[in-house]
Amino acid sequence: MFVVPTEPTDHALMSAWSQGDTKAGDQLVERHFELVYRLVAALTPPTVEVSDVVQRTFLACLERGDEIEKVERFRPYLLGIARNQVRMRMRYDRRRQGEQPVEDPATHARSSWAPRLSAVAAEREQQRVLLLALRRLPIEQQLPLELHYWEGMSTREIGELLDLKPGAVKKRLFDARRRLAEWMGQLARDEATAQLSLRQFDQWAQTMRALVHEDDGVDDTAHD
């Protein structure tokens, strides 16, 4: 009987990479590069070289290869490393400039999802309003919303990444959707469009996520 080969898990690739298998490392980096890049870009100011922080993230992950057996879910673990690398880079830059270090990089964040989404979003009025409203959310609301809908992360995973309890993540998501509805009400050309946009948000978000990830090559929800 023919057996379809299965993709190696993140844990298997990380374990092999830590033992010197560079091909496994290349596969792991390729699998998660887009996700890590978007997160770093969302958490850093324009003055930071995103590619450098992303590279340091994967190198730091390799240095911690002996910890992989203790890691329950690889993706939040990797994104946590990315966030720490952002913190370290921003602290270094601010110390070099004689400024006080910033504890939370999200306070100086930029979003990388919305500009990319603008390139693939359809021209329908409802989607236009949703996209414009999303761009107007503060980063502390926008980032959990994007991680949840575009990256398919659970509230627990987002909490691990942003140092928040699941309840706090749920509140941020609730507040973000409420604020999103308020912005749509202001931006929509008519009330019907605003109400329709909010009702269709989940479906729209799934469509946009598929478009954003269409070149990623793998389903990044299937490896943890």
Side-chain angles (χ1 to χ4, degrees):
M1 183 178 66
F2 178 74
V3 178
V4 178
T6 58
E7 287 284 329
T9 65
D10 293 332
H11 283 71
L13 290 174
M14 187 66 245
S15 179
W17 189 20
S18 65
Q19 296 176 35
D21 187 340
T22 56
K23 290 185 178 180
D26 290 343
Q27 187 175 351
L28 188 70
V29 171
E30 182 179 2
R31 179 179 289 179
H32 294 289
F33 181 86
E34 286 291 332
L35 173 59
V36 173
Y37 189 96
R38 286 196 298 272
L39 178 68
V40 171
L43 290 176
T44 56
T47 55
V48 171
E49 180 58 48
V50 176
S51 297
D52 179 63
V53 179
V54 172
Q55 182 180 21
R56 290 176 181 274
T57 295
F58 284 106
L59 288 176
C61 185
L62 176 59
E63 292 173 355
R64 302 181 186 181
D66 58 346
E67 301 177 2
I68 193 64
E69 295 297 332
K70 304 175 184 177
V71 176
E72 180 181 356
R73 297 176 66 82
F74 180 79
R75 183 168 54 185
Y77 174 77
L78 178 62
L79 294 180
I81 293 176
R83 190 172 193 269
N84 287 337
Q85 289 298 316
V86 170
R87 282 174 167 171
M88 292 171 61
R89 177 57 185 268
M90 292 179 65
R91 287 170 181 168
Y92 170 78
D93 287 349
R94 294 179 71 85
R95 283 198 301 267
R96 187 176 58 180
Q97 298 168 7
E99 301 177 12
Q100 293 296 319
V102 174
E103 293 300 325
D104 186 359
T107 59
H108 292 273
R110 61 189 175 189
S111 172
S112 64
W113 279 268
R116 191 176 181 190
L117 287 173
S118 65
V120 298
E123 296 181 354
R124 293 177 58 184
E125 175 68 5
Q126 295 91 344
Q127 294 179 345
R128 182 192 72 84
V129 171
L130 279 166
L131 183 60
L132 291 175
L134 178 65
R135 287 174 170 173
R136 283 160 173 76
L137 294 179
I139 191 62
E140 63 269 15
Q141 293 180 353
Q142 187 178 139
L143 186 56
L145 197 68
E146 290 168 341
L147 287 172
H148 181 65
Y149 284 102
W150 274 264
E151 300 303 339
M153 295 180 67
S154 67
T155 54
R156 182 173 66 85
E157 289 174 321
I158 296 172
E160 291 174 354
L161 176 61
L162 302 180
D163 297 327
L164 295 171
K165 294 181 178 180
V169 174
K170 290 180 181 179
K171 185 178 186 305
R172 289 200 182 188
L173 289 171
F174 176 82
D175 291 343
R177 286 179 61 92
R178 178 176 55 80
R179 188 61 179 137
L180 192 69
E182 292 174 356
W183 272 115
M184 286 190 292
Q186 297 180 38
L187 295 169
R189 295 171 181 172
D190 56 76
E191 182 64 21
T193 297
Q195 294 300 321
L196 181 61
S197 295
L198 185 58
R199 289 199 304 270
Q200 291 184 337
F201 178 74
D202 289 358
Q203 180 180 357
W204 179 85
Q206 292 176 5
T207 300
M208 292 297 99
R209 180 174 183 266
L211 289 170
V212 167
H213 287 283
E214 64 182 359
D215 296 325
D216 287 359
V218 297
D219 180 359
D220 59 22
T221 66
H223 302 296
D224 290 333

